[in-house]
Coordinates of all heavy atoms in Angstrom, one line a residue:
G1 N 18.1 2.0 10.3 CA 16.9 1.9 11.1 C 15.7 2.5 10.4 O 14.8 2.9 11.2
R2 N 15.6 2.6 9.1 CA 14.4 3.2 8.5 C 13.4 2.1 8.3 O 13.7 0.9 8.1 CB 14.8 3.7 7.1 CG 15.6 5.0 7.3 CD 16.0 5.6 5.9 NE 14.8 5.7 5.1 CZ 14.9 6.0 3.8 NH1 16.1 6.2 3.2 NH2 13.9 6.2 3.0
R3 N 12.1 2.5 8.3 CA 11.0 1.5 8.2 C 10.4 1.7 6.8 O 10.6 2.7 6.2 CB 10.0 1.8 9.2 CG 10.5 1.5 10.6 CD 9.4 1.9 11.6 NE 10.0 1.7 13.0 CZ 9.7 2.5 14.0 NH1 8.8 3.5 13.8 NH2 10.2 2.3 15.1
Q4 N 9.7 0.6 6.4 CA 9.1 0.7 5.1 C 7.8 -0.1 5.1 O 7.6 -1.0 5.8 CB 10.0 0.3 3.9 CG 10.0 -1.2 3.6 CD 10.8 -1.4 2.3 OE1 11.8 -0.7 2.1 NE2 10.4 -2.4 1.5
W5 N 6.9 0.3 4.2 CA 5.6 -0.4 4.0 C 5.9 -1.6 3.1 O 6.6 -1.5 2.1 CB 4.6 0.5 3.3 CG 4.3 1.8 4.0 CD1 4.6 3.0 3.6 CD2 3.5 1.9 5.2 NE1 4.1 4.0 4.5 CE2 3.4 3.3 5.5 CE3 2.9 1.1 6.1 CZ2 2.8 3.8 6.6 CZ3 2.3 1.6 7.2 CH2 2.2 2.9 7.5
S6 N 5.3 -2.7 3.4 CA 5.5 -3.9 2.7 C 4.2 -4.6 2.4 O 3.2 -4.5 3.2 CB 6.4 -4.9 3.4 OG 7.7 -4.4 3.6
F7 N 4.1 -5.3 1.3 CA 3.0 -6.1 0.9 C 3.4 -7.6 0.8 O 4.3 -7.9 0.0 CB 2.4 -5.6 -0.4 CG 1.2 -6.4 -0.9 CD1 0.0 -6.4 -0.3 CD2 1.4 -7.2 -2.0 CE1 -1.1 -7.1 -0.7 CE2 0.3 -8.0 -2.5 CZ -0.9 -7.9 -1.9
L8 N 2.9 -8.4 1.7 CA 3.2 -9.9 1.7 C 2.1 -10.6 0.9 O 0.9 -10.4 1.1 CB 3.3 -10.4 3.1 CG 4.3 -9.7 4.0 CD1 4.2 -10.3 5.4 CD2 5.7 -10.0 3.5
Y9 N 2.6 -11.5 0.0 CA 1.6 -12.3 -0.8 C 2.2 -13.7 -1.1 O 3.4 -13.9 -1.0 CB 1.1 -11.6 -2.0 CG 2.2 -11.3 -3.0 CD1 2.3 -12.1 -4.2 CD2 3.1 -10.2 -2.9 CE1 3.3 -11.9 -5.1 CE2 4.1 -10.0 -3.8 CZ 4.2 -10.8 -4.9 OH 5.1 -10.6 -5.9
R10 N 1.4 -14.6 -1.6 CA 1.9 -15.9 -2.1 C 1.8 -15.9 -3.6 O 0.8 -15.6 -4.2 CB 1.1 -17.0 -1.5 CG 1.3 -17.2 0.0 CD 1.0 -18.6 0.4 NE 1.5 -18.9 1.7 CZ 2.7 -19.3 2.0 NH1 3.6 -19.5 1.0 NH2 3.1 -19.6 3.2
W11 N 2.9 -16.4 -4.2 CA 2.9 -16.6 -5.7 C 3.6 -17.9 -6.0 O 4.8 -18.1 -5.6 CB 3.6 -15.4 -6.3 CG 3.5 -15.5 -7.8 CD1 4.5 -15.9 -8.7 CD2 2.4 -15.2 -8.6 NE1 4.1 -15.8 -9.9 CE2 2.8 -15.4 -10.0 CE3 1.1 -14.8 -8.4 CZ2 1.9 -15.2 -11.0 CZ3 0.3 -14.6 -9.5 CH2 0.7 -14.8 -10.8
G12 N 3.0 -18.8 -6.6 CA 3.6 -20.1 -7.0 C 3.9 -20.9 -5.7 O 4.9 -21.6 -5.7
G13 N 3.1 -20.8 -4.7 CA 3.3 -21.6 -3.5 C 4.4 -21.0 -2.6 O 4.7 -21.6 -1.5
R14 N 5.0 -19.8 -2.9 CA 6.0 -19.2 -2.1 C 5.6 -17.9 -1.6 O 4.9 -17.2 -2.3 CB 7.3 -19.1 -2.9 CG 7.8 -20.4 -3.5 CD 9.1 -20.3 -4.2 NE 10.1 -20.3 -3.2 CZ 11.4 -20.1 -3.4 NH1 11.8 -19.9 -4.6 NH2 12.3 -20.1 -2.4
Q15 N 6.0 -17.5 -0.4 CA 5.7 -16.2 0.1 C 6.7 -15.2 -0.5 O 7.9 -15.4 -0.5 CB 5.8 -16.2 1.6 CG 5.4 -14.8 2.2 CD 5.2 -14.9 3.7 OE1 5.1 -15.9 4.3 NE2 5.2 -13.7 4.3
K16 N 6.1 -14.0 -0.9 CA 7.0 -13.0 -1.5 C 6.6 -11.7 -0.8 O 5.6 -11.5 -0.2 CB 6.7 -12.8 -3.0 CG 7.1 -14.1 -3.8 CD 6.8 -13.9 -5.2 CE 8.0 -13.3 -5.9 NZ 7.9 -13.2 -7.4
E17 N 7.6 -10.8 -0.8 CA 7.4 -9.5 -0.2 C 7.7 -8.4 -1.2 O 8.7 -8.4 -1.8 CB 8.4 -9.3 1.0 CG 8.3 -8.0 1.7 CD 9.2 -8.0 2.9 OE1 9.9 -8.9 3.2 OE2 9.2 -6.9 3.6
M18 N 6.8 -7.4 -1.3 CA 6.9 -6.3 -2.2 C 7.0 -5.0 -1.4 O 6.1 -4.8 -0.6 CB 5.8 -6.3 -3.2 CG 5.9 -5.2 -4.3 SD 4.6 -5.3 -5.6 CE 3.3 -4.5 -4.8
G19 N 8.0 -4.2 -1.6 CA 8.1 -3.0 -0.9 C 7.2 -1.9 -1.5 O 7.1 -1.8 -2.7
L20 N 6.5 -1.2 -0.7 CA 5.6 -0.1 -1.2 C 6.1 1.3 -1.0 O 5.5 2.2 -1.5 CB 4.2 -0.3 -0.4 CG 3.5 -1.6 -0.6 CD1 2.3 -1.7 0.2 CD2 3.2 -1.9 -2.0
G21 N 7.2 1.4 -0.2 CA 7.7 2.8 0.0 C 8.2 2.9 1.4 O 7.9 2.2 2.3
S22 N 8.9 4.0 1.7 CA 9.5 4.4 3.0 C 8.4 4.9 3.9 O 7.5 5.6 3.5 CB 10.6 5.4 2.8 OG 11.1 5.8 4.0
F23 N 8.6 4.7 5.2 CA 7.6 5.1 6.2 C 7.9 6.5 6.7 O 7.0 7.3 6.9 CB 7.6 4.1 7.3 CG 6.7 4.4 8.5 CD1 5.4 4.4 8.4 CD2 7.3 4.8 9.7 CE1 4.6 4.7 9.5 CE2 6.5 5.1 10.8 CZ 5.1 5.1 10.7
L24 N 9.1 6.8 7.0 CA 9.5 8.0 7.7 C 10.0 9.1 6.7 O 10.9 8.8 5.9 CB 10.6 7.8 8.8 CG 10.1 6.9 9.9 CD1 11.3 6.6 10.8 CD2 9.0 7.5 10.7
P25 N 9.5 10.3 6.7 CA 9.9 11.3 5.8 C 11.2 12.0 6.2 O 11.9 12.6 5.4 CB 8.8 12.3 5.8 CG 8.2 12.2 7.1 CD 8.3 10.7 7.5
V26 N 11.6 12.0 7.5 CA 12.8 12.7 8.0 C 13.6 11.9 8.9 O 13.1 11.1 9.7 CB 12.3 14.0 8.7 CG1 13.5 14.7 9.4 CG2 11.5 14.9 7.9
E27 N 14.9 11.9 8.8 CA 15.8 11.3 9.7 C 16.0 12.3 10.8 O 16.7 13.3 10.7 CB 17.1 10.9 9.0 CG 18.0 10.1 9.9 CD 19.3 9.6 9.2 OE1 19.2 8.8 8.3 OE2 20.3 10.2 9.5
P28 N 15.5 12.0 12.0 CA 15.4 13.0 13.1 C 16.8 13.6 13.5 O 17.0 14.7 13.8 CB 14.8 12.3 14.3 CG 14.2 11.1 13.7 CD 14.9 10.8 12.4
E29 N 17.8 12.7 13.6 CA 19.1 13.1 14.1 C 19.8 14.1 13.2 O 20.5 15.0 13.6 CB 20.1 11.9 14.3 CG 19.5 10.8 15.2 CD 18.7 9.8 14.4 OE1 19.1 9.4 13.3 OE2 17.6 9.4 14.9
K30 N 19.7 13.9 11.9 CA 20.4 14.7 10.9 C 19.5 15.7 10.2 O 20.0 16.6 9.5 CB 21.1 13.8 9.9 CG 22.1 12.9 10.5 CD 22.6 11.9 9.5 CE 23.5 10.9 10.2 NZ 23.9 9.9 9.2
G31 N 18.2 15.6 10.4 CA 17.3 16.5 9.7 C 17.3 16.3 8.2 O 16.9 17.2 7.4
V32 N 17.7 15.1 7.7 CA 17.8 14.8 6.3 C 16.4 14.4 5.8 O 15.8 13.5 6.5 CB 18.8 13.7 6.0 CG1 18.8 13.3 4.6 CG2 20.2 14.2 6.5
R33 N 15.9 14.9 4.8 CA 14.6 14.5 4.2 C 14.7 13.4 3.2 O 15.6 13.4 2.4 CB 13.9 15.7 3.6 CG 13.6 16.9 4.5 CD 12.7 17.9 3.9 NE 11.4 17.4 3.7 CZ 10.4 17.3 4.6 NH1 10.7 17.6 5.8 NH2 9.2 16.8 4.3
Y34 N 13.9 12.4 3.4 CA 13.8 11.3 2.5 C 12.5 11.2 1.8 O 11.5 11.7 2.3 CB 14.0 9.9 3.2 CG 15.4 9.7 3.8 CD1 15.6 9.8 5.1 CD2 16.4 9.4 2.9 CE1 16.9 9.6 5.6 CE2 17.7 9.2 3.4 CZ 17.9 9.3 4.8 OH 19.2 9.1 5.3
E35 N 12.4 10.7 0.6 CA 11.2 10.5 -0.1 C 10.4 9.5 0.8 O 10.9 8.4 1.2 CB 11.4 9.9 -1.5 CG 10.3 10.1 -2.4 CD 10.7 9.8 -3.8 OE1 11.7 10.2 -4.3 OE2 10.0 9.0 -4.4
H36 N 9.1 9.7 1.0 CA 8.3 8.8 1.9 C 7.0 8.5 1.2 O 6.5 9.3 0.3 CB 8.2 9.4 3.3 CG 7.2 10.5 3.3 ND1 7.6 11.8 2.9 CD2 5.9 10.6 3.8 CE1 6.6 12.6 3.1 NE2 5.6 12.0 3.6
T37 N 6.3 7.5 1.8 CA 5.0 7.1 1.3 C 4.0 7.2 2.4 O 4.3 6.6 3.5 CB 5.0 5.7 0.8 OG1 6.0 5.6 -0.3 CG2 3.7 5.2 0.2
S38 N 2.9 7.9 2.2 CA 1.9 8.0 3.3 C 1.1 6.7 3.4 O 1.2 5.8 2.5 CB 0.9 9.1 3.0 OG 0.2 8.8 1.8
L39 N 0.4 6.5 4.5 CA -0.4 5.3 4.7 C -1.4 5.2 3.6 O -1.7 4.1 3.1 CB -1.1 5.4 6.1 CG -2.1 4.3 6.4 CD1 -1.4 2.9 6.4 CD2 -2.7 4.5 7.8
A40 N -2.1 6.3 3.2 CA -3.1 6.2 2.2 C -2.5 5.8 0.8 O -3.1 4.9 0.1 CB -3.7 7.6 2.0
E41 N -1.3 6.2 0.5 CA -0.6 5.8 -0.7 C -0.2 4.3 -0.7 O -0.3 3.6 -1.6 CB 0.6 6.7 -1.0 CG 1.4 6.3 -2.2 CD 0.6 6.7 -3.5 OE1 -0.3 7.5 -3.5 OE2 1.0 6.2 -4.6
A42 N 0.3 3.9 0.5 CA 0.6 2.5 0.7 C -0.6 1.6 0.5 O -0.5 0.5 -0.1 CB 1.3 2.3 2.0
R43 N -1.7 2.0 1.1 CA -2.9 1.2 0.9 C -3.4 1.2 -0.5 O -3.9 0.2 -1.0 CB -4.0 1.8 1.8 CG -3.9 1.6 3.2 CD -5.0 2.1 4.1 NE -4.8 1.7 5.5 CZ -5.5 2.3 6.5 NH1 -6.3 3.3 6.3 NH2 -5.3 1.8 7.7
R44 N -3.3 2.3 -1.3 CA -3.6 2.3 -2.7 C -2.7 1.3 -3.5 O -3.2 0.6 -4.3 CB -3.5 3.7 -3.3 CG -4.0 3.8 -4.7 CD -3.6 5.1 -5.4 NE -2.2 5.3 -5.5 CZ -1.4 4.6 -6.4 NH1 -1.9 3.7 -7.2 NH2 -0.1 4.9 -6.4
K45 N -1.4 1.3 -3.2 CA -0.5 0.4 -3.9 C -0.8 -1.0 -3.5 O -0.8 -1.9 -4.4 CB 0.9 0.7 -3.5 CG 1.4 2.0 -4.1 CD 2.9 2.3 -3.6 CE 3.4 3.6 -4.2 NZ 4.8 3.8 -3.8
A46 N -1.2 -1.3 -2.3 CA -1.6 -2.7 -1.9 C -2.8 -3.1 -2.6 O -3.0 -4.3 -3.0 CB -1.7 -2.8 -0.4
T47 N -3.8 -2.2 -2.7 CA -5.0 -2.5 -3.4 C -4.8 -2.8 -4.9 O -5.3 -3.8 -5.4 CB -6.0 -1.3 -3.3 OG1 -6.3 -1.1 -1.9 CG2 -7.3 -1.6 -4.0
D48 N -3.9 -2.1 -5.5 CA -3.5 -2.4 -6.9 C -2.8 -3.7 -7.0 O -3.1 -4.5 -8.0 CB -2.5 -1.3 -7.4 CG -3.2 0.1 -7.6 OD1 -4.5 0.1 -7.5 OD2 -2.5 1.1 -7.7
A49 N -2.0 -4.1 -6.0 CA -1.3 -5.4 -6.0 C -2.3 -6.5 -5.9 O -2.2 -7.5 -6.5 CB -0.3 -5.4 -4.9
R50 N -3.3 -6.3 -5.0 CA -4.4 -7.3 -4.8 C -5.2 -7.5 -6.1 O -5.6 -8.6 -6.4 CB -5.3 -6.9 -3.7 CG -4.7 -7.2 -2.3 CD -5.7 -6.9 -1.2 NE -5.0 -6.9 0.1 CZ -4.6 -5.7 0.6 NH1 -4.9 -4.5 0.1 NH2 -4.0 -5.7 1.8
A51 N -5.4 -6.4 -6.8 CA -6.2 -6.5 -8.1 C -5.4 -7.3 -9.1 O -5.9 -8.1 -9.9 CB -6.5 -5.1 -8.6
A52 N -4.0 -7.1 -9.1 CA -3.2 -7.8 -10.1 C -3.2 -9.3 -9.7 O -3.3 -10.2 -10.6 CB -1.8 -7.3 -10.0
L53 N -3.2 -9.6 -8.4 CA -3.2 -11.0 -8.0 C -4.5 -11.7 -8.4 O -4.6 -12.8 -8.8 CB -3.1 -11.1 -6.5 CG -1.6 -11.1 -5.9 CD1 -1.7 -11.0 -4.4 CD2 -0.8 -12.2 -6.4
A54 N -5.6 -10.9 -8.3 CA -6.9 -11.5 -8.6 C -7.0 -11.8 -10.1 O -7.7 -12.7 -10.6 CB -8.0 -10.5 -8.3
K55 N -6.2 -11.0 -10.9 CA -6.2 -11.3 -12.4 C -5.2 -12.4 -12.8 O -5.1 -12.7 -13.9 CB -5.8 -10.0 -13.1 CG -6.9 -8.9 -13.0 CD -6.4 -7.7 -13.7 CE -7.4 -6.5 -13.6 NZ -6.9 -5.3 -14.2
G56 N -4.5 -12.9 -11.8 CA -3.5 -13.9 -12.1 C -2.1 -13.4 -12.5 O -1.4 -14.1 -13.2
I57 N -1.8 -12.2 -12.1 CA -0.6 -11.5 -12.5 C 0.3 -11.3 -11.2 O -0.2 -10.8 -10.2 CB -0.8 -10.2 -13.2 CG1 -1.7 -10.3 -14.4 CG2 0.5 -9.5 -13.5 CD1 -2.2 -9.0 -15.0
D58 N 1.6 -11.6 -11.3 CA 2.5 -11.3 -10.2 C 2.6 -9.8 -10.0 O 3.0 -9.1 -11.0 CB 3.8 -12.0 -10.4 CG 4.8 -11.9 -9.3 OD1 4.5 -11.1 -8.3 OD2 5.9 -12.5 -9.3
P59 N 2.3 -9.2 -8.9 CA 2.3 -7.8 -8.7 C 3.7 -7.2 -8.9 O 3.8 -6.1 -9.5 CB 1.9 -7.6 -7.3 CG 1.2 -8.8 -6.8 CD 1.8 -9.9 -7.7
M60 N 4.7 -7.9 -8.5 CA 6.1 -7.3 -8.8 C 6.4 -7.2 -10.2 O 7.1 -6.3 -10.7 CB 7.1 -8.1 -8.0 CG 7.1 -7.7 -6.5 SD 8.7 -8.1 -5.6 CE 8.7 -9.8 -5.7
V61 N 6.0 -8.3 -11.0 CA 6.3 -8.3 -12.4 C 5.5 -7.1 -13.1 O 6.0 -6.4 -13.9 CB 5.9 -9.6 -13.0 CG1 6.0 -9.6 -14.5 CG2 6.9 -10.7 -12.5
A62 N 4.3 -6.9 -12.7 CA 3.4 -5.9 -13.2 C 4.0 -4.5 -12.9 O 4.1 -3.6 -13.8 CB 2.0 -6.0 -12.7
R63 N 4.5 -4.3 -11.7 CA 5.1 -3.0 -11.3 C 6.4 -2.8 -12.1 O 6.6 -1.7 -12.6 CB 5.4 -3.0 -9.8 CG 6.0 -1.7 -9.3 CD 6.4 -1.8 -7.9 NE 7.4 -2.7 -7.6 CZ 7.9 -3.0 -6.5 NH1 7.5 -2.4 -5.4 NH2 8.9 -3.9 -6.3
N64 N 7.2 -3.8 -12.2 CA 8.5 -3.6 -12.9 C 8.2 -3.4 -14.4 O 9.0 -2.6 -15.1 CB 9.4 -4.8 -12.7 CG 9.8 -4.9 -11.2 OD1 9.8 -3.9 -10.5 ND2 10.3 -6.0 -10.8
A65 N 7.2 -4.0 -15.0 CA 6.9 -3.8 -16.4 C 6.4 -2.4 -16.7 O 6.8 -1.8 -17.7 CB 5.9 -4.8 -16.9
A66 N 5.7 -1.8 -15.7 CA 5.2 -0.5 -15.9 C 6.3 0.6 -15.8 O 6.2 1.6 -16.3 CB 4.1 -0.2 -14.9
A67 N 7.4 0.2 -15.0 CA 8.5 1.1 -14.8 C 9.5 1.1 -15.9 O 10.4 1.9 -15.9 CB 9.1 0.8 -13.4
E68 N 9.5 0.1 -16.8 CA 10.5 0.0 -17.8 C 10.4 1.2 -18.7 O 9.4 1.6 -19.2 CB 10.3 -1.3 -18.6 CG 10.8 -2.5 -17.9 CD 10.7 -3.8 -18.8 OE1 10.7 -3.6 -20.1 OE2 10.7 -4.8 -18.3
V69 N 11.6 1.6 -19.1 CA 11.7 2.8 -20.0 C 12.1 2.2 -21.4 O 13.0 1.4 -21.5 CB 12.9 3.7 -19.5 CG1 13.0 4.8 -20.5 CG2 12.5 4.2 -18.2
P70 N 11.3 2.5 -22.4 CA 11.7 2.0 -23.7 C 13.0 2.6 -24.2 O 13.4 3.7 -23.9 CB 10.5 2.5 -24.6 CG 9.9 3.7 -23.9 CD 10.2 3.4 -22.4
T71 N 13.7 1.7 -24.9 CA 15.0 2.1 -25.4 C 15.0 2.2 -26.9 O 14.1 1.5 -27.6 CB 16.2 1.2 -25.0 OG1 15.8 -0.1 -25.4 CG2 16.3 1.1 -23.5
F72 N 15.9 2.9 -27.5 CA 16.0 3.0 -28.9 C 17.1 2.1 -29.4 O 18.2 2.3 -29.1 CB 16.2 4.4 -29.4 CG 15.1 5.3 -29.0 CD1 15.2 6.1 -27.8 CD2 13.9 5.4 -29.7 CE1 14.2 7.0 -27.4 CE2 12.9 6.2 -29.3 CZ 13.0 7.0 -28.2
G73 N 16.7 1.0 -30.1 CA 17.7 0.0 -30.5 C 18.4 0.4 -31.7 O 19.3 0.0 -32.3

């Protein structure tokens, strides 16, 4: 029953959904803390995704490329 921020967009004629982060910081019943994303942070991430779309780049590909860790071959 956790909620999350999402960014909906069209890429290649298809609708896609990119997760921006978790909405709730605490699970009330158990008092367990989860990593969460504030509304301001979700808006910043959505703005970055819109900028990538304006440049002709798929936002999910751009996000995943930035998160890649270089390996030593």
